[in-house]
Amino acid sequence: MDGMGDGHTPGMNGTTVPPPHRHKMMMMHMTFFWGTQAEILFSGWPGIRTGMYALAIVFVFALCVLVEWLSHSRLFIPAKPGFAAGVLRSLVHALRMGLAYLAMLALMSFNGGVFLAAVSGHAVGFLAFASGAFVKPEE
């Protein structure tokens, strides 16, 4: 085929399309990798600074703990059911799901540190809010 190894992409009608003019291509990982230079949630964040990477890891950890708290919290169960109570519970559910999807998007960075932060955040959140490990036994 003409144009197949010369840096041009063949078009639908057999013409060739020149490559973009020196656009910076971002390398997106499709497998887990270890390193502090990753993009998590936002373009350019945390960047190349190790301190910002550590902040991103703490953010993902806290985000997952918050998701577990919202999942197992009994603060939002009203004594009287009704429309207002249903709306409040629906809003809390929407917040919880939004935060869970945000954590999932952070995991899509394929960074091993982010993965470990998310799993440990969920584990710590479950331990604190759902496992019953901190409930005093009745005597």
Side-chain angles (χ1 to χ4, degrees), residues 3-111:
M4 288 300 285
D6 59 359
H8 290 75
T9 306
M12 293 297 282
N13 60 1
T15 62
T16 58
V17 179
H21 298 287
R22 301 280 182 204
H23 287 287
K24 183 180 177 184
M25 299 290 288
M26 184 188 91
M27 173 64 179
M28 183 169 175
H29 293 273
M30 297 308 288
T31 59
F32 278 109
F33 71 98
W34 296 98
T36 59
Q37 294 184 8
E39 285 193 354
I40 304 167
L41 296 177
F42 306 104
S43 179
W45 188 70
I48 60 173
R49 296 188 311 231
T50 306
M52 290 301 287
Y53 176 76
L55 178 66
I57 295 297
V58 169
F59 175 77
V60 170
F61 179 85
L63 181 68
C64 293
V65 170
L66 182 60
V67 167
E68 289 296 325
W69 178 69
L70 287 172
S71 297
H72 302 288
S73 175
R74 298 288 181 207
L75 295 175
F76 303 107
I77 295 179
K80 256 170 79 173
F83 181 74
V87 169
L88 177 64
R89 290 183 69 194
S90 295
L91 290 174
V92 171
H93 177 75
L95 175 66
R96 178 176 66 93
M97 292 309 301
L99 294 175
Y101 285 136
L102 192 62
M104 180 203 56
L105 288 173
L107 285 170
M108 289 177 64
S109 69
F110 286 97
N111 184 277

